[in-house]
Amino acid sequence: MHITQLNRECLLHLFSFLDKESRKSLAKTCRALLEVFRDPLLWSLLNFHSPAELKKDNFLLGPALKHLSICWYSEQVKVCNIEDWMKNSFQKDFCNRHERTVTEFLLEVCARCPNLLSLTLSGCGHVTDDCISLLLKSCPNLRTLKLENCVRISDRTLEAVTLHGGSLRTLHVDFCRNITQTGLERVREKCPSVTLRAERSANMIPDSKPGKRLMLERASRKQVQL
């Protein structure tokens, strides 16, 4: 019996055991298997382990996507976690390209995946508050949001959670250095049903330049004195 003689349900089940690259390779063998590859029901779960994977055509984004994970830790990508004011021109150019890749992908998720239930982002140094805010608006059923070492995430994301995260039940913002204790307390106050975890975040040094931070501290002291 040839594999293409199996019914659609069996083929989808077989494809579900393969990774993205293997699914794409198998889909190239004949039109019938290509149609299975393009079936949205096959793509309820996606995992990515490098920025380059986001540009490949070996996956499908659609309403069936429920769980999305984008996690990477390679030495090269660690450049993106350096404070912007400390980067040289080469590093900034690299990071700009990386930012465009991540932003464009997440915008596609916002447009095509309204039924997303869980999103995990780890080591994604260019994920912005605006992207997360748009995701919360576009995916109203989102229940789990895990952000680890997403260095550009700030209290604006926490504010978006209080405004648009009505279905959210789990929020992790570990090692997000621009998150403050004030922002965390606001989430705990306004979203008591959300399980919040923020390991080290509010205790890390933010990205403002040392001189700028010192000026802000002095201004704060003057206000207290007045």
Side-chain angles (χ1 to χ4, degrees):
M1 184 178 185
H2 194 271
I3 186 174
T4 56
Q5 293 177 287
L6 295 171
N7 62 34
R8 187 61 164 257
E9 184 178 352
C10 288
L11 289 173
L12 283 170
H13 185 65
L14 290 174
F15 265 76
S16 70
F17 290 98
L18 304 176
D19 59 27
K20 298 188 295 297
E21 201 65 47
S22 298
R23 291 177 184 180
K24 183 64 177 179
S25 297
L26 185 58
K28 291 179 178 179
T29 59
C30 70
R31 181 171 297 178
L33 295 180
L34 178 59
E35 290 180 0
V36 176
F37 174 85
R38 291 173 175 171
D39 192 322
L41 293 177
L42 184 63
W43 304 99
S44 63
L45 169 68
L46 280 174
N47 295 303
F48 297 93
H49 303 287
S50 75
E53 289 185 19
L54 302 181
K55 290 186 173 183
K56 290 187 175 181
D57 61 349
N58 61 350
F59 62 90
L60 183 71
L61 291 178
L65 183 63
K66 300 294 181 62
H67 308 282
L68 172 63
S69 174
I70 306 175
C71 305
W72 48 68
Y73 302 95
S74 72
E75 291 298 322
Q76 186 179 25
V77 175
K78 284 184 178 179
V79 171
C80 301
N81 291 330
I82 300 173
E83 292 87 341
D84 287 341
W85 55 274
M86 293 183 64
K87 294 173 184 174
N88 57 39
S89 58
F90 173 79
Q91 291 170 328
K92 288 180 179 179
D93 182 61
F94 171 82
C95 290
N96 287 336
R97 295 197 304 271
H98 182 188
E99 180 176 2
R100 285 194 295 270
T101 298
V102 175
T103 299
E104 289 172 3
F105 177 80
L106 290 179
L107 289 177
E108 288 293 317
V109 171
C110 291
R112 300 185 184 186
C113 310
N115 300 313
L116 194 67
L117 296 178
S118 72
L119 173 64
T120 298
L121 303 175
S122 183
C124 303
H126 290 305
V127 175
T128 66
D129 293 315
D130 290 337
C131 274
I132 299 301
S133 179
L134 184 57
L135 273 163
L136 288 167
K137 295 176 184 177
S138 305
C139 306
N141 299 318
L142 192 68
R143 295 180 62 85
T144 300
L145 178 59
K146 297 182 179 180
L147 308 172
E148 178 185 323
N149 199 25
C150 294
V151 296
R152 294 185 65 181
I153 294 302
S154 73
D155 285 0
R156 288 180 57 205
T157 286
L158 300 183
E159 183 65 22
V161 166
T162 66
L163 295 175
H164 312 296
S167 299
L168 209 61
R169 293 296 175 266
T170 300
L171 175 63
H172 293 178
V173 285
D174 301 324
F175 299 94
C176 295
R177 62 179 178 240
N178 290 302
I179 293 290
T180 70
Q181 193 62 46
T182 300
L184 295 174
E185 290 301 328
R186 186 179 298 115
V187 172
R188 292 190 178 100
E189 177 186 351
K190 295 187 176 182
C191 306
S193 61
V194 173
T195 300
L196 176 62
R197 194 179 77 182
E199 185 178 350
R200 296 285 300 277
S201 290
N203 297 321
M204 299 178 76
I205 300 174
D207 282 342
S208 56
K209 289 186 179 182
K212 180 180 179 180
R213 185 164 61 250
L214 182 59
M215 291 174 64
L216 290 174
E217 290 174 355
R218 289 176 177 173
S220 178
R221 292 195 197 103
K222 287 182 179 180
Q223 290 179 356
V224 172
Q225 291 173 357
L226 293 175

